[in-house]
Amino acid sequence: MPASDSMAPPVVEVRSLTKRFQGFTAVDNISFDIKKGEILGLLGPNGAGKTTTIHMLLGLITPTVGSIHMFGLDLAKHREAILQQVNFSSTYISMPFSLTVEENLKVIARLYGLKNIQQRINDIVKKLEMEEIRHKLTRKLSSGQMSRLTLAKALMTEPKVLFLDEPTASLDPDIVNKIKSFLKEYQRSEGLSILYTSHNMREMEEMSDRIIFLQRGKIVAEGTAPEIIQRYGQRDLEEVFLKLAREPNGP
Amino acid sequence: MSLGRILALLSRHMYLYKRSFARLLEIFYWPFLDLVVWGFITIYLERVGMSLHGAVSFFLGALILWDVLFRAQQGIAVSFLEEMWARNLMNLFASPLTVGEYLVATMTMSVLKVTAVGSLMMLFAWVFYSYDILQMGLSLVPFILNLVISGWIIGVLTTSIIMRFGQQAEVLAWGMVFLFQPISCVFYPIEVLPPVLQSIAWMVPPAHIFEGMRAVLTTGDLPVTHLLWATGLNFGFLVIIVAWFYHTFNICKDRGMLVRVGE
């Protein structure tokens, strides 16, 4: 059940976004919107350009061509104002190992200029069931605990847009289930817009209101999961994924 | 420029220093060993009757000031390495933190480090060798300020190279400053250098500072010309190196290196 408002202007507008690295095109002329309260799934095989796209949306990689607007502002010109309202989490990032979980959250809270820091930390620690690890050194966290920490650092800043790059990769099913439930609930209650990548097709179907399929940097399919499945005449999203990913020159 | 974000970065390093044995070694152990070794060398030189007037002041004073430069540079370069090792650069630069705020925070960190190391070295020198660098009086203040700025310049240069070339360049955080040591004339007067190196040394701010320090020790007067040269060169190089850092940062963003640094 999409929580997005179809009449509202998009909070993220990406137009003709392209990234070339020395003769290799990682992202090739893609355009898409994310509406308020919408979860957009970004799907594609390894090297399809998903992570590069997220890095461009976070201002960590400069696009070769194209524009990114969030909240009606151009990211190239209003980086600070935009990033104040955006956050991200990924299995592939880490946080300073020599700091405790709580210290890391305090640093992030100060970076984003949050008020009532201790209260916010208490809230997020409780919501993500992190009480037992809040005074633990980050280097001693398991991968599941680290995922919860990066998610906590992202959600604590109360972003309006959240980028999640394979947030559940390499986690056990119990933690995946808890994280997914928490994210869905949080997204509905806060009207959060999310860009979500995952290699887990079932998770993608469950989580996303709409899906964009990327291959070799290009958008090759777009729509809701049932629309895409129907369009390609397959039984589920996994079969669509295999069909699209194995086509040598794209569909 | 947000003071809150600068303080956030500083707090991150303070948490680290609180429990990092390796970082505490940088402040206590190495400076102390430097001082012990150079102190004994100085005592030996005096005992064998070498006609070096004020050997203690020359060597221990120079050593303390050299450490100011070294630690100021390290304060910046090692702070960057800490972020790289922790794979924390993405968290920082995907936040509203600006490059300018990042630089100000690391420069402040280097001042804190210099203050800690400098104070301890002065104390050790006074306790173990009865040497009081403060006898140089107020002349010391502009020299130290200039050395800190020189340390920033070398630190920002080192950081930009590490950012551009990644882990293979991280050894520069400890080695880069020694490239400047021979032409900074820390322990000897500039006139001992060959003419070509003398010309280069006059373009290096620390050479003016150490030459000036020796002048204070031998004549007691503040060498204004050296001070002006050091200050002018420092500010010129600082502007150039900060512009260079911004340029390198943009190149790294363009080539996608910022998200890969440390991998």
Side-chain angles (χ1 to χ4, degrees):
Chain A
M1 171 79 184
S4 61
D5 179 353
S6 58
M7 298 303 285
V11 286
V12 179
E13 294 172 86
V14 172
R15 295 290 174 269
S16 309
L17 194 66
T18 301
K19 184 64 200 177
R20 290 188 204 101
F21 295 111
Q22 294 172 326
F24 164 70
T25 304
V27 176
D28 193 357
N29 194 27
I30 65 170
S31 299
F32 62 87
D33 294 338
I34 308 175
K35 297 183 189 82
K36 186 176 187 304
E38 182 183 36
I39 300 182
L40 178 67
L42 201 53
L43 195 59
N46 289 333
K50 305 183 298 290
T51 302
T52 304
T53 301
I54 288 182
H55 287 160
M56 285 193 279
L57 290 166
L58 287 166
L60 294 166
I61 291 180
T62 312
T64 308
V65 180
S67 67
I68 298 166
H69 284 77
M70 286 188 232
F71 321 110
L73 300 170
D74 185 349
L75 180 64
K77 293 176 185 154
H78 302 277
R79 180 188 163 277
E80 279 174 70
I82 290 173
L83 292 181
Q84 185 69 45
Q85 304 174 72
V86 171
N87 216 313
F88 77 107
S89 177
S90 165
T91 302
Y92 307 113
I93 61 156
S94 182
M95 299 196 76
F97 315 121
S98 305
L99 275 61
T100 64
V101 165
E102 181 161 324
E103 286 167 352
N104 266 315
L105 292 176
K106 277 183 183 169
V107 172
I108 291 293
R110 290 175 189 137
L111 262 183
Y112 285 79
L114 305 183
K115 310 282 181 214
N116 305 321
I117 290 176
Q118 200 56 52
Q119 186 58 48
R120 287 215 198 199
I121 291 175
N122 292 344
D123 289 347
I124 200 71
V125 160
K126 195 174 170 191
K127 278 180 188 165
L128 284 170
E129 297 174 26
M130 294 167 67
E131 282 96 344
E132 282 180 15
I133 60 166
R134 71 186 291 169
H135 299 300
K136 201 171 178 181
L137 281 179
T138 303
R139 75 160 62 89
K140 293 182 177 170
L141 300 182
S142 66
S143 55
Q145 291 168 336
M146 179 62 91
S147 289
R148 271 188 285 168
L149 172 58
T150 62
L151 199 57
K153 78 98 190 168
L155 294 174
M156 184 184 60
T157 64
E158 294 180 0
K160 293 195 173 92
V161 174
L162 183 61
F163 301 119
L164 298 173
D165 191 10
E166 299 184 33
T168 57
S170 71
L171 297 181
D172 70 59
D174 180 47
I175 295 172
V176 170
N177 191 268
K178 279 181 181 169
I179 287 180
K180 280 191 309 189
S181 306
F182 175 78
L183 275 173
K184 265 293 197 188
E185 194 187 315
Y186 190 89
Q187 179 260 343
R188 282 194 183 123
S189 63
E190 303 295 323
L192 181 65
S193 306
I194 299 178
L195 182 66
Y196 196 99
T197 79
S198 173
H199 279 123
N200 184 325
M201 300 303 121
R202 226 178 105 197
E203 183 179 313
M204 215 50 164
E205 277 188 70
E206 256 177 69
M207 294 295 291
S208 309
D209 298 319
R210 201 157 50 88
I211 290 170
I212 283 175
F213 196 103
L214 276 183
Q215 192 179 27
R216 295 186 190 87
K218 288 183 177 170
I219 295 176
V220 293
E222 191 173 356
T224 62
E227 280 170 2
I228 292 176
I229 292 165
Q230 192 183 21
R231 194 177 311 151
Y232 288 91
Q234 304 295 322
R235 281 180 301 181
D236 55 30
L237 207 53
E238 186 156 353
E239 285 190 359
V240 177
F241 182 95
L242 292 172
K243 180 180 166 62
L244 289 173
R246 287 174 181 171
E247 283 183 17
N249 299 311
Chain B
M1 186 85 54
S2 159
L3 181 64
R5 293 197 288 257
I6 292 168
L7 292 175
L9 258 192
L10 286 176
S11 70
R12 175 256 188 277
H13 288 286
M14 288 303 163
Y15 286 133
L16 173 71
Y17 273 80
K18 196 171 73 176
R19 62 172 69 90
S20 168
F21 184 63
R23 296 286 83 82
L24 288 176
L25 277 186
E26 277 177 15
I27 293 178
F28 296 102
Y29 183 70
W30 299 119
F32 177 70
L33 277 191
D34 272 351
L35 205 68
V36 168
V37 171
W38 280 94
F40 286 137
I41 290 172
T42 308
I43 290 170
Y44 170 70
L45 289 176
E46 286 192 328
R47 280 189 189 162
V48 297
M50 290 188 72
S51 59
L52 182 60
H53 174 71
V56 173
S57 300
F58 254 82
F59 284 113
L60 292 188
L63 181 68
I64 292 170
L65 292 183
W66 167 253
D67 245 71
V68 167
L69 176 69
F70 184 42
R71 303 297 158 185
Q73 177 263 346
Q74 265 202 337
I76 290 184
V78 175
S79 297
F80 182 81
L81 284 181
E82 295 287 0
E83 306 302 0
M84 198 174 97
W85 291 330
R87 287 157 59 210
N88 194 39
L89 287 165
M90 271 180 70
N91 289 322
L92 296 182
F93 290 113
S95 81
L97 181 78
T98 64
V99 175
E101 287 158 359
Y102 174 80
L103 284 177
V104 170
T106 55
M107 285 172 179
T108 310
M109 198 58 220
S110 92
V111 170
L112 296 175
K113 202 166 182 172
V114 163
T115 308
V117 173
S119 306
L120 281 169
M121 286 190 86
M122 285 180 203
L123 183 69
F124 291 153
W126 182 67
V127 170
F128 295 109
Y129 303 107
S130 305
Y131 172 66
D132 181 11
I133 196 174
L134 299 175
Q135 69 191 354
M136 286 173 69
L138 286 177
S139 314
L140 200 60
V141 176
F143 286 137
I144 288 180
L145 289 178
N146 267 294
L147 278 174
V148 170
I149 297 171
S150 295
W152 289 350
I153 291 165
I154 302 171
V156 175
L157 173 67
T158 310
T159 304
S160 65
I161 295 172
I162 296 170
M163 187 164 60
R164 174 73 179 76
F165 295 101
Q167 275 183 326
Q168 56 187 333
E170 70 179 49
V171 69
L172 292 177
W174 290 272
M176 182 70 132
V177 72
F178 290 101
L179 191 66
F180 293 86
Q181 196 179 37
I183 50 173
S184 293
C185 304
V186 182
F187 300 109
Y188 44 79
I190 204 164
E191 67 215 35
V192 304
L193 294 178
V196 176
L197 283 183
Q198 280 190 37
S199 309
I200 297 171
W202 287 126
M203 298 306 293
V204 176
H208 288 278
I209 297 163
F210 287 105
E211 201 68 6
M213 183 204 75
R214 282 185 287 273
V216 172
L217 290 173
T218 49
T219 67
D221 298 329
L222 181 69
V224 177
T225 312
H226 281 305
L227 201 55
L228 288 176
W229 267 104
T231 308
L233 286 170
N234 261 335
F235 279 101
F237 284 134
L238 187 64
V239 170
I240 292 168
I241 211 69
V242 168
W244 169 258
F245 187 85
Y246 272 89
H247 175 69
T248 308
F249 187 83
N250 287 332
I251 286 178
C252 289
K253 271 176 65 175
D254 186 51
R255 296 186 186 175
M257 293 152 92
L258 196 62
V259 294
R260 292 203 306 266
V261 75
E263 286 180 358

